Amino acid sequence: MIRDVGGLNTVTLDFARGPMPGRPLVRAAGRFLAAGAEWIKVIGDFPKWGAAGPLPDSLDTTYDLDTLRRAVHTIHSLGARLALHSNMPASDLVAIGVDSFEHGTALTCEDVQALGARGGAWTPTLAAIMAQ
């Protein structure tokens, strides 16, 4: 059996729709969403995929801005905070109230200042970026 706990849904969800002769059983979760006691982590972008796998230096949004806006509102109304894995331009995401950015390679100085002014956080993971 193959278990995919989250990723690009078109890659594994088709295989998970039912058994296929000669192939292992596939269980797939689809898009990333990780929950915690006080935080909800959302994967905001993911590399684009080609026939051979992820395409270098490519990103595709996982959720549109309106969906993320509603998620931020709902999460905040429950007393939790939203952490977003994102390497995409972030000014709109800061403006809708995302509380924390993981990676955040496209955050501007203004984004970081606005985020910090309201108690947000940035986890740049520079070691992962510098290792490339």
Side-chain angles (χ1 to χ4, degrees):
M1 182 168 112
I2 296 173
R3 181 173 168 257
D4 176 1
V5 295
L8 184 63
N9 60 8
T10 59
V11 174
T12 55
L13 286 181
D14 286 340
F15 291 111
R17 295 193 198 294
M20 296 180 165
R23 295 202 177 169
L25 180 63
V26 176
R27 295 288 184 236
R31 294 194 251 180
F32 287 101
L33 177 64
E38 296 177 2
W39 286 87
I40 302 293
K41 177 182 173 185
V42 175
I43 305 300
D45 54 38
F46 203 74
K48 293 180 182 179
W49 282 73
L55 300 174
D57 301 319
S58 69
L59 289 176
D60 204 3
T61 57
T62 310
Y63 301 97
D64 61 69
L65 188 62
D66 189 52
T67 299
L68 288 171
R69 180 182 292 110
R70 286 183 282 134
V72 167
H73 175 75
T74 300
I75 290 164
H76 287 174
S77 73
L78 296 170
R81 301 180 80 191
L82 188 140
L84 186 71
H85 169 283
S86 179
N87 290 298
M88 306 282 282
S91 297
D92 288 343
L93 300 167
V94 172
I96 65 169
V98 169
D99 298 295
S100 174
F101 287 84
E102 293 184 17
H103 305 300
T105 56
L107 286 166
T108 65
C109 283
E110 292 79 15
D111 294 334
V112 174
Q113 289 170 344
L115 189 62
R118 62 178 169 79
W122 175 34
T123 306
T125 57
L126 293 176
I129 293 164
M130 299 300 286
Q132 294 179 354

